């Protein structure tokens, strides 16, 4: 494992409490490896066999689900320090139920799952810390998926938009937010047509519910 990569990931929540010199030894013990991906490149296709957990080192990775008609729904978007693939490698049937693709040029660190949950040759304390941190990361991911369900369960497009923006405002702790998606990604996340989302946002602005410019939104329907 390159020393430069170790420097990048030392402060990631997944490696919290693990000293840099221990982290380097642990990654070597686990057989960790890195891969680079170009924008829009597919990392993992649906129904692929999953045996590694991915950690986004740089760039951004999205989890997408495609139906039989070719329509895509954006489920989760992962930024640096976040993990993906853990749901499938932990399960009884390790086949991906979704696909993962690079939103931008990205670098991903992969950890073989069977080595992560097993006892390493060093029987190291920091290996146990890694497992604890991973459980926390999985719990955080589940919360994000619950938030996604809350958004898509709303009947009207306006309610979906409002619910999503309120979630982001609560996370940021303020009414002015920068969402991590462009309009196409937002439409995919909301399971809606891009043109319909654009029209609804314009209508909400005309009605004085919000103001926006590109990814910046200021919520007026939420009390200051």
């Amino acid at each position: 494992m390159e020393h430069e990569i170790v420097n990048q990931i030392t402060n990631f929540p997944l490696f919290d409490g693990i000293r840099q010199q221990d982290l380097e030894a642990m990654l070597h013990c686990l057989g960790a490896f890195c891969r680079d991906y170009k924008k829009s490149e597919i990392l993992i296709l649906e129904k692929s066999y999953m045996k590694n957990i991915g950690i986004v080192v740089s760039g951004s990775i999205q989890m997408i689900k495609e139906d039989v008609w070719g329509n895509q729904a954006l489920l989760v978007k992962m930024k640096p320090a976040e993990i993906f693939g853990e749901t499938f490698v932990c399960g009884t049937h390790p086949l991906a139920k979704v696909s993962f693709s690079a939103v931008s040029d990205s670098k991903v660190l992969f950890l073989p799952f069977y080595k992560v949950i097993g006892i390493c040759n060093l029987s190291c304390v920091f290996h146990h810390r890694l497992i604890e941190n991973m459980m926390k990361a999985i719990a955080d991911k589940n919360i994000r998926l619950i938030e996604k369900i809350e958004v898509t369960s709303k009947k009207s497009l306006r309610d979906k938009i409002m619910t999503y923006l309120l979630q982001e405002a609560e996370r940021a702790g303020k009414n002015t937010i920068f969402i991590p998606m462009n309009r196409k990604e937002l439409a995919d996340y909301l399971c809606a047509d891009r043109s319909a989302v654009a029209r609804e946002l314009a209508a909400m602005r005309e009605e004085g519910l919000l103001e926006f410019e590109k990814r910046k939104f200021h919520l007026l329907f939420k009390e200051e």
Side-chain angles (χ1 to χ4, degrees):
M1 183 61 57
E2 297 179 9
H3 191 67
E4 180 183 349
I5 300 298
V6 176
N7 285 338
Q8 283 183 268
I9 66 176
T10 296
N11 295 321
F12 284 7
L14 184 61
F15 306 117
D16 182 51
I18 302 175
R19 296 180 303 173
Q20 185 168 329
Q21 58 267 38
D22 292 333
L23 174 58
E24 196 160 358
M26 182 185 68
L27 292 176
H28 177 74
C29 180
L30 294 175
F33 59 96
C34 270
R35 291 286 185 273
D36 292 311
Y37 296 93
K38 296 295 184 182
K39 180 180 179 180
S40 301
E41 186 175 352
I42 299 294
L43 286 69
I44 299 165
L45 274 173
E46 185 174 350
K47 297 183 180 179
S48 297
Y49 178 73
M50 297 282 295
K51 59 182 179 179
N52 300 312
I53 295 169
I55 302 103
V56 183
V57 177
S58 62
S60 182
I61 304 298
Q62 62 184 2
M63 180 196 299
I64 52 178
K65 179 67 176 179
E66 187 172 295
D67 63 23
V68 293
W69 297 281
N71 300 312
Q72 290 187 344
L74 173 59
L75 302 180
V76 182
K77 190 174 179 181
M78 282 76 64
K79 59 183 184 298
E82 295 187 318
I83 68 173
F84 64 90
E86 75 289 345
T87 302
F88 308 110
V89 296
C90 292
T92 306
H93 305 288
L95 295 180
K97 301 296 183 183
V98 297
S99 296
F100 296 92
S101 66
V103 179
S104 59
D105 289 353
S106 304
K107 183 182 291 291
V108 176
L109 172 69
F110 290 100
L111 301 179
F113 181 68
Y114 76 96
K115 287 190 175 182
V116 171
I117 62 172
I119 302 299
C120 71
N121 295 332
L122 302 177
S123 296
C124 46
V125 174
F126 45 84
H127 188 167
H128 295 292
R129 184 59 182 266
L130 172 66
I131 295 174
E132 291 177 8
N133 292 343
M134 186 164 293
M135 293 303 101
K136 293 177 182 177
I138 291 172
D140 290 342
K141 176 74 72 63
N142 285 338
I143 290 173
R144 292 177 63 190
L145 290 173
I146 290 171
E147 291 177 345
K148 162 79 173 183
I149 292 171
E150 182 185 2
V151 169
T152 55
S153 66
K154 302 302 181 184
K155 293 183 178 180
S156 72
L157 178 55
R158 176 167 297 196
D159 285 345
K160 289 180 181 181
I161 294 172
M162 284 184 166
T163 301
Y164 170 71
L165 293 177
L166 283 171
Q167 287 176 353
E168 291 297 311
E170 183 177 355
R171 202 178 343 265
K174 53 187 177 181
N175 289 0
T176 300
I177 56 175
F178 289 85
I179 67 171
M181 308 178 193
N182 59 33
R183 291 295 182 270
K184 180 183 182 305
E185 292 166 343
L186 177 60
D188 290 343
Y189 183 82
L190 298 173
C191 300
D193 178 76
R194 180 179 179 179
S195 297
V197 171
R199 287 194 299 270
E200 192 60 47
L201 286 173
M204 293 172 71
R205 178 163 57 186
E206 287 180 7
E207 294 173 29
L209 295 174
L210 52 77
E211 297 172 351
F212 62 86
E213 181 180 358
K214 296 183 179 179
R215 300 191 184 196
K216 181 181 179 180
F217 285 77
H218 180 67
L219 311 188
L220 302 173
F221 59 84
K222 180 177 181 290
E223 292 183 2
E224 298 284 351

